[in-house]
Amino acid sequence: QSALTQPASVSGSPGQSITISCTGTSSDVGSYNLVSWYQQYPGKAPKLMIYEVSKRPSGLSNRFSGSRSGNTASLTISGLQAEDEADYYCCSYAGSTTWVFGGGTKLTVL
Amino acid sequence: QVHLVESGGGVVQPGKSLRLSCATSGFTFTSHAMHWVRQAPGKGLEWVALTSSDGSGKYHADSVKGRFTISRDNSKNTLYLQMNNLRAEDTAVYYCAKGGSTWYYFDSWGQGTLVTVSS
């Protein structure tokens, strides 16, 4: 299966809100409530931010939220902070015990 | 605190084999599915393989099927990835990742181990 489609980059100023989209197909994003999002700093391991479309792991800031409409999932970060500058990846279950990731989005905090 | 530590990476010639290990602690290993996910230099993440909590279920991405085998030793709380017939395109950082309350997402990750396939 093909990778999910994410914008290569997004940017925002501190305090603003940004949204990162993740577009798949009816065989992955559109079929399952099993989209997750990961934050990755350069040279570091990814970190789970959202799972099952909109659930936050315990202890994660509520500035991070997720949603899905049709074949597109979205990650919204509100009250943007400098520490949010990182790469973000979406991931969806794609059936037949396989998973597909997005190409990643570089978030720049201006 | 969950701790995942990969080892076994290195430089290997095309066609050769390598076995990666992931030592775990801080959680009940036997209760969680485990995954391998890789990231080629400067590229995105790619799911590689999954093993169920008891090791009976093993699933691999098409890109590695027939060459890579995931396994686990629940007596040692350790995950493995046997990689045979390595290709240049297998060059990547390999992460082990713990499945969450279900195996559909990855709730903890190791720091990764770099595998370089080059002659």
Side-chain angles (χ1 to χ4, degrees):
Chain A
Q1 55 274 55
S2 301
L4 307 177
T5 300
Q6 298 181 233
S9 63
V10 298
S11 63
S13 299
Q16 289 185 330
S17 294
I18 64 95
T19 297
I20 300 172
S21 62
C22 169
T23 301
T25 69
S26 57
S27 297
D28 38 60
V29 174
S31 282
Y32 308 97
N33 288 322
L34 295 171
V35 175
S36 51
W37 289 89
Y38 302 87
Q39 176 191 65
Q40 186 180 36
Y41 294 113
K44 300 298 185 182
K47 174 187 175 182
L48 176 68
M49 306 303 283
I50 295 288
Y51 66 101
E52 293 175 2
V53 176
S54 60
K55 297 179 180 178
R56 275 189 309 275
S58 174
L60 191 75
S61 169
N62 60 7
R63 296 188 300 108
F64 293 85
S65 61
S67 62
R68 186 195 73 165
S69 177
N71 296 339
T72 298
S74 298
L75 172 70
T76 297
I77 307 175
S78 59
L80 208 56
Q81 299 178 1
E83 68 204 47
D84 299 331
E85 185 163 296
D87 294 327
Y88 292 85
Y89 292 91
C90 62
C91 179
S92 176
Y93 181 66
S96 302
T97 333
T98 63
W99 283 259
V100 61
F101 281 91
T105 298
K106 181 177 179 58
L107 169 61
T108 300
V109 180
L110 301 171
Chain B
Q1 183 177 356
V2 174
H3 212 48
L4 309 174
V5 180
E6 301 94 337
S7 61
V11 180
V12 61
Q13 293 179 329
K16 299 296 187 181
S17 299
L18 209 58
R19 189 177 83 153
L20 306 182
S21 299
C22 173
T24 76
S25 61
F27 66 101
T28 304
F29 186 66
T30 54
S31 295
H32 291 269
M34 296 293 295
H35 299 260
W36 287 99
V37 177
R38 69 184 179 183
Q39 186 170 34
K43 302 297 185 181
L45 299 168
E46 180 188 14
W47 175 78
V48 173
L50 156 74
T51 176
S52 59
S53 58
D54 64 359
S56 62
K58 300 177 183 182
Y59 310 90
H60 302 81
D62 286 344
S63 58
V64 305
K65 200 169 291 183
R67 300 187 299 121
F68 291 11
T69 302
I70 191 172
S71 64
R72 63 193 294 161
D73 185 336
N74 282 355
S75 69
K76 297 181 178 179
N77 294 343
T78 302
L79 175 72
Y80 302 102
L81 185 67
Q82 177 66 43
M83 304 186 295
N84 298 331
N85 191 20
L86 282 159
R87 304 168 180 168
E89 54 264 36
D90 296 320
T91 294
V93 173
Y94 285 74
Y95 295 101
C96 66
K98 170 180 166 286
S101 57
T102 70
W103 68 22
Y104 295 109
Y105 61 98
F106 322 109
D107 71 356
S108 296
W109 299 62
Q111 85 288 349
T113 187
L114 176 62
V115 173
T116 302
V117 184
S118 173
S119 54

